[in-house]
Amino acid sequence: MDRPVQLVDEYATGDFFLASAGHTILGSGVAQEVVDPDPARLSARLRDLLDASSAPVAVGILPFDTTPAGTVPSRMVLPAVLHRAGPAHPQAAALTRAALPSPLAVRPVPEPRRHVETVAEGIRLLAEHRLHKIVLARALDLEFAEPPAPGAVLRNLVKDHPRGYTFAAGLPGGATFLGATPELLLSRTGRNVSFRPHAGSAPRSDDPLRDKENGRALFASTKDRVEHAVVIESMVECLRPFCRRLSVPGEPEVVSTPTIWHLATRITGELADPEVTALDVAAALHPTPAVCGSPTDAARRLVTGLEPFDRDFYAGAVGWVDANGDGEWAVAIRCAELAGNRMRLYAGGGIVADSDPEAELAETSVKFRTLLRAMGVADV
Ligand SMILES: C=C(O[C@H]1C=CC=C(C(=O)O)[C@@H]1O)C(=O)O
């Protein structure tokens, strides 16, 4: 086993990296690549490939939109060289912080006022189309004089996020998709599956009393509890056919990252069919209403129509599956695409009937902090 923090040092642009509370994975080079717009078919193809080869693990990413209308396909690779280690934390706290260039320009997409109007329009359309929830996102485009090194951004993300899922994935054309998400889509070990959807948010505060109060108020917020319940109900409905046992706590817990509080629920289950792989379940669950809305297809159509950009891999999923079908998949949020001297950051929020458009704008600003802090940039 490699020393987990050493894998942060060994990461090179184009590699796949995922650090979680249980594992650190670094996949370098491409022995084989499987690209498919349909993640269920991708999963079947990978199963055959892993059966036929000596490669232990396939790693990769699913985009937000996995329908035929999607802009980018799901992409998995069997790495030429694979390193696996235990959790990167707590040693990651001792990593030295990497210096990164300051952006020359920061441009919100759309303008913040326009995002507020879009959210208001989303609330109106929810009622008109009888939807429970949609998730609307905005972006921040950063431009630099010289290209920031993906490895340096990754290092700072790993250092700052001891409990989350920190990732980087090379994209065709040389760009890097990277981030630090708190949200587990699913993990599978044998028949045991575990999920930890997040929905409902409040900012952290430097003032300890106010910080605690923000977490308490989040737990008591009817709007956030509704937003969360929509996710749990939809996921449970999707998971029932897969599981011979499913355990769902009656109420969420309040969890935190360094910048934000969330409502989260730990769902556990036992697969009815041991042949069903982690990627099979990820393909069935994705996109959950935590990143898309409910009902899924109608929400996806609204989101795609309202947002002024393609999400590509934002709000997709990032993870791995091995030859036994085990794996770990995280929801690809608190993330950015870095291409040369340009970087696009993404942040979204769940919209329900009671949402306040101004508060939704503020929530996305808080969510940008994960990447902004890694870049050494103050709030914008
Ligand atoms: C869609 C995002 O967050 C999701 C995950 C947790 C809380 C969320 C919320 O409270 O709206 C979102 O559902 C994002 O960070 O871009």
Side-chain angles (χ1 to χ4, degrees):
M1 288 274 261
D2 300 276
R3 224 166 68 85
V5 285
Q6 207 170 306
L7 299 187
V8 180
D9 288 329
E10 284 174 18
Y11 165 87
T13 303
D15 288 353
F16 177 93
F17 179 95
L18 178 64
S20 73
H23 314 266
T24 308
I25 285 199
L26 175 68
S28 305
V30 178
Q32 232 163 330
E33 180 187 41
V34 186
V35 174
D36 202 310
D38 177 352
R41 196 170 50 208
L42 175 82
S43 187
R45 288 174 62 191
L46 271 177
R47 191 193 326 236
D48 293 344
L49 207 58
L50 285 167
D51 278 351
S53 82
S54 57
V57 174
V59 298
I61 42 178
L62 313 183
F64 166 68
D65 189 347
T66 50
T67 70
T71 46
V72 284
S74 299
R75 181 172 182 267
M76 298 288 295
V77 301
L78 306 188
V81 182
L82 181 84
H83 298 279
R84 285 213 267 190
H89 296 281
Q91 303 105 301
L95 282 169
T96 46
R97 208 170 187 85
L100 282 154
S102 298
L104 295 175
V106 178
R107 192 173 69 90
V109 183
E111 284 300 323
R113 283 301 101 206
R114 180 71 198 123
H115 184 69
V116 171
E117 288 163 15
T118 305
V119 172
E121 175 70 354
I123 294 170
R124 197 186 63 70
L125 290 170
L126 275 181
E128 190 181 307
H129 295 262
R130 295 170 188 270
L131 267 61
H132 305 297
K133 172 176 175 177
I134 53 170
V135 177
L136 291 173
R138 65 190 186 101
L140 274 187
D141 284 347
L142 273 49
E143 196 186 328
F144 300 86
E146 55 194 271
V153 186
L154 180 69
R155 164 180 284 263
N156 291 350
L157 287 170
V158 172
K159 184 175 171 62
D160 289 347
H161 293 274
R163 282 176 296 168
Y165 302 83
T166 304
F167 60 90
L171 301 179
T176 305
F177 181 63
L178 77 187
T181 170
E183 187 168 358
L184 171 70
L185 181 62
L186 88 140
S187 70
R188 174 197 188 271
T189 310
R191 277 182 184 242
N192 293 322
V193 278
S194 179
F195 313 84
R196 209 178 191 202
H198 286 50
S201 307
R204 301 292 308 270
S205 168
D206 291 337
D207 171 350
L209 283 180
R210 176 173 252 199
D211 191 39
K212 209 170 157 195
E213 175 51 26
N214 286 357
R216 199 203 56 74
L218 174 63
F219 187 73
S221 155
T222 308
K223 188 271 290 179
D224 288 277
R225 292 290 281 266
V226 167
E227 200 180 314
H228 192 78
V230 169
V231 180
I232 305 306
E233 276 163 30
S234 155
M235 285 183 66
V236 167
E237 194 185 316
C238 174
L239 288 171
R240 283 223 187 279
F242 284 101
C243 295
R244 64 182 185 187
R245 182 188 63 76
L246 202 56
S247 164
V248 188
E251 58 180 24
E253 41 180 340
V254 179
V255 298
S256 65
T257 77
T259 50
I260 196 161
W261 293 102
H262 285 306
L263 297 178
T265 298
R266 169 82 66 188
I267 301 173
T268 54
E270 220 177 288
L271 289 173
D273 177 357
E275 296 297 311
V276 167
T277 71
L279 184 52
D280 292 334
V281 184
L285 274 177
H286 174 72
T288 76
V291 291
C292 179
S294 174
T296 308
D297 290 337
R300 193 198 282 108
R301 275 194 297 276
L302 279 192
V303 167
T304 308
L306 286 168
E307 290 175 353
F309 49 78
D310 293 322
R311 288 188 175 190
D312 295 345
F313 292 103
Y314 160 67
V318 55
W320 55 273
V321 62
D322 70 14
N324 298 322
D326 288 340
E328 191 169 45
W329 286 82
V331 180
I333 50 176
R334 316 300 143 78
C335 58
E337 184 175 328
L338 176 55
N341 65 341
R342 292 176 187 275
M343 189 174 194
R344 170 164 279 190
L345 280 52
Y346 298 91
I351 313 295
V352 291
D354 282 348
S355 293
D356 166 12
E358 292 291 344
E360 291 302 327
L361 177 68
E363 186 177 312
T364 48
S365 299
V366 172
K367 287 172 173 167
F368 283 133
R369 283 183 190 151
T370 302
L371 259 296
L372 289 176
R373 286 191 181 183
M375 300 304 297
V377 176
D379 284 2
V380 290

